[in-house]
Amino acid sequence: MYTSNTTTPNFNYDQVQFPRPSSGKEVILENSYPHLIMFGATSPGKIKVFFKIFFGFLTSILQVIGTGLLLIVFPILALIPITIKQIVFKFFFRIGYRLYTNKAIGSRVHRLMVSSSHPSGGCVNTHTSILTPINYSTFVVWPVPVLSDNYSYIIYDKDTNETAVVDPCAPEVVIDVCNRLGVLPKYIFCTHSHFDHAGGNTVLQSLIPELKIIGGNMKTVPGVNLLADDDTVFWLGNTPIRTITTPCHTPDHIIFAVGNSKPNLQTHDQIPELSQSEAVFTGDTLFVGGVGAFFHGRPEDMYNSLQKLGSLSDNCAVYCGHEYAERLLWFCAWIEHDNPHTLKRACWANICRSMNIPTVPSTMGWERRTNPWLRWNDPALASAVELKLYAYLKI
């Protein structure tokens, strides 16, 4: 039985924003800093429609052939011990991962992914159809959906209009949204070196030579000209930014903690406490309901990285790098079916994603109640995991 002593955060499901009917084109409401942007596909030409149908038909044929081959090979695969399968899988995965992280090969693959996901070059064909800005004391955040499940973010200071972009992996989309908002990026906050986060750094840098790119490693993260470490503090206008190193997913991974919940008490000479941060941009370290893959680290490395977020308040918003919430939260609900928070959040994520509504931001409070990676010392979670292992191993 779920027995956690933590309190339930004040979550109002009536606040979920539902999309308005779209005309099929990209729409901006209001001229200056719009309160709503609808993303929709523009009308394609006849040639594009033809090729889309042709390649769809070709893909269907290949899927049928692949399914047939799988049915033939499956009985043979069933005879192979699972240990050997794991060794073979890890071997080929390592080869694929090294190719993807190779600068020459990975950058070309990434550009192909961007052109495939955004053929018109703008903010169309996205995985999320409606976005709203989120206002904080001194800054505003715009989530920007890119590729198949990524998020970039645009942050601008209310007083000075200074703007930063977080992980602009699809630069054409980011430029499109910045033009619509009437802002010019001064900074790039790059969480880590994977091309689906850092792939647009050099493109934007070539367009805006004075652009400052902040990252955790100058050698591995493309274009970085400002190096950040633990507790590096700088300012976006009147908005304080603090960096936190979180190596595990990649050795160069950093998180950006933004804002100050007590702006009336701040000066540029006085560094605000991490606990006063209003939002945290976690890249691929912390997701809604999960954490990133341990490509370059061990479980203890992820544990140490997550411990650094312990002082963040429950109200601190969490902006992650991917739209994984639905699948991760259903896994949380499966692991811990007696926890009412996980099931509630999983249902909420299911409703949002069925309508192409983003699940970001989450909050640290919700993650501490539903994300198993932040609840390693919770007896209720330990008991639930033990029961699942017992059922799986049939002891």
Side-chain angles (χ1 to χ4, degrees), residues 43-229:
S43 301
K46 293 182 179 179
I47 296 177
K48 286 186 178 180
V49 171
F50 170 78
F51 279 107
K52 186 173 182 179
I53 295 173
F54 173 75
F55 284 115
F57 177 70
L58 187 62
T59 302
S60 299
I61 293 176
L62 292 175
Q63 288 175 343
V64 171
I65 294 173
T67 303
L69 291 173
L70 185 61
L71 291 173
I72 295 172
V73 177
F74 182 78
I76 301 173
L77 293 175
L79 300 174
I80 301 175
I82 190 169
T83 305
I84 296 177
K85 292 179 186 176
Q86 289 175 341
I87 293 173
V88 173
F89 172 79
K90 288 181 180 179
F91 173 75
F92 283 106
F93 178 81
R94 286 176 181 174
I95 293 175
Y97 182 74
R98 288 188 179 182
L99 290 173
Y100 175 69
T101 54
N102 178 275
K103 288 187 177 180
I105 299 174
S107 60
R108 293 192 178 188
V109 172
H110 174 71
R111 292 308 303 165
L112 288 173
M113 292 170 59
V114 172
S115 60
S116 174
S117 300
H118 309 284
S120 64
C123 52
V124 296
N125 300 330
T126 59
H127 56 79
T128 298
S129 61
I130 185 171
L131 299 174
T132 55
I134 300 92
N135 279 275
Y136 298 94
S137 58
T138 60
F139 66 100
V140 176
V141 177
W142 274 93
V144 180
V146 289
L147 302 180
S148 61
D149 54 32
N150 280 73
Y151 282 111
S152 297
Y153 298 96
I154 294 173
I155 312 168
Y156 64 81
D157 181 77
K158 292 181 181 179
D159 295 331
T160 65
N161 222 29
E162 284 192 3
T163 302
V165 180
V166 181
D167 292 346
C169 61
E172 298 87 350
V173 180
V174 171
I175 292 169
D176 188 12
V177 177
C178 284
N179 287 338
R180 293 161 179 265
L181 297 177
V183 296
L184 180 68
K186 181 178 180 179
Y187 297 97
I188 288 178
F189 300 162
C190 192
T191 59
H192 62 291
S193 55
H194 285 166
F195 287 104
D196 64 332
H197 293 260
N201 288 3
T202 54
V203 175
L204 287 177
Q205 199 171 44
S206 65
L207 295 173
I208 311 171
E210 63 275 16
L211 193 65
K212 296 179 176 64
I213 302 179
I214 301 169
N217 190 305
M218 286 189 172
K219 294 182 179 179
T220 58
V221 184
V224 168
N225 49 28
L226 283 179
L227 190 63
D229 204 341

Side-chain angles (χ1 to χ4, degrees), residues 215-284:
N217 190 305
M218 286 189 172
K219 294 182 179 179
T220 58
V221 184
V224 168
N225 49 28
L226 283 179
L227 190 63
D229 204 341
D230 265 328
D231 290 330
T232 300
V233 178
F234 53 96
W235 295 81
L236 179 70
N238 292 323
T239 301
I241 314 292
R242 183 191 292 267
T243 59
I244 307 167
T245 59
T246 55
C248 185
H249 184 70
T250 62
D252 50 36
H253 202 295
I254 60 174
I255 283 175
F256 294 86
V258 181
N260 181 6
S261 59
K262 300 176 181 179
N264 295 331
L265 303 178
Q266 79 178 19
T267 64
H268 282 225
D269 298 326
Q270 181 181 3
I271 300 174
E273 297 292 331
L274 181 63
S275 59
Q276 297 174 4
S277 300
E278 296 176 90
V280 61
F281 294 82
T282 59
D284 283 1

Side-chain angles (χ1 to χ4, degrees), residues 20-39:
R20 303 178 185 178
S22 173
S23 63
K25 296 182 179 180
E26 301 153 292
V27 178
I28 278 194
L29 303 182
E30 297 188 15
N31 295 324
S32 178
Y33 301 122
H35 296 289
L36 181 69
I37 289 185
M38 298 284 295
F39 294 124

